[in-house]
Amino acid sequence: MSKKENKISEEELASLQDQEKNKGAILHDLGLLSTQSHSLQAMFSQVMKEQDALRAELEDKYGKINVNLNSGEFTEAEDSE
């Protein structure tokens, strides 16, 4: 009696190997994306802190104002009370 070989075809093996390679690449990219997202969130938080500090500095110097970011001109801010 002939013994049946317990092995998939070369094409099937190549297909499985390609799928595993693609999964690994996707997982790698997801890891990079997650790291970049974390880094961007930290950078955004830093910019917000800097903007708040500058806003407070400008308020001390000029009072409550609205600044036109294109021209640098400002108007007094209306109280929302």
Side-chain angles (χ1 to χ4, degrees):
M1 191 175 241
S2 71
K3 200 174 186 183
K4 186 176 180 183
E5 192 173 327
N6 291 331
K7 193 172 183 182
I8 62 175
S9 73
E10 291 296 321
E11 284 180 0
E12 294 165 331
L13 178 60
S15 181
L16 283 174
Q17 289 171 336
D18 283 345
Q19 290 170 350
E20 280 300 308
K21 180 181 170 187
N22 288 338
K23 277 177 30 183
I26 290 168
L27 287 173
H28 177 265
D29 289 349
L30 283 171
L32 286 176
L33 183 59
S34 177
T35 300
Q36 289 173 338
S37 175
H38 184 287
S39 178
L40 287 170
Q41 288 174 15
M43 290 167 56
F44 183 78
S45 178
Q46 181 61 35
V47 168
M48 293 298 292
K49 286 178 187 176
E50 291 170 4
Q51 190 175 46
D52 288 343
L54 181 55
R55 185 175 287 123
E57 198 176 301
L58 292 173
E59 189 172 312
D60 286 344
K61 186 173 182 179
Y62 301 104
K64 289 191 178 198
I65 59 171
N66 292 318
V67 178
N68 179 318
L69 295 179
N70 292 319
S71 67
E73 295 175 345
F74 67 86
T75 58
E76 288 186 28
E78 295 180 17
D79 286 334
S80 58
E81 294 177 39

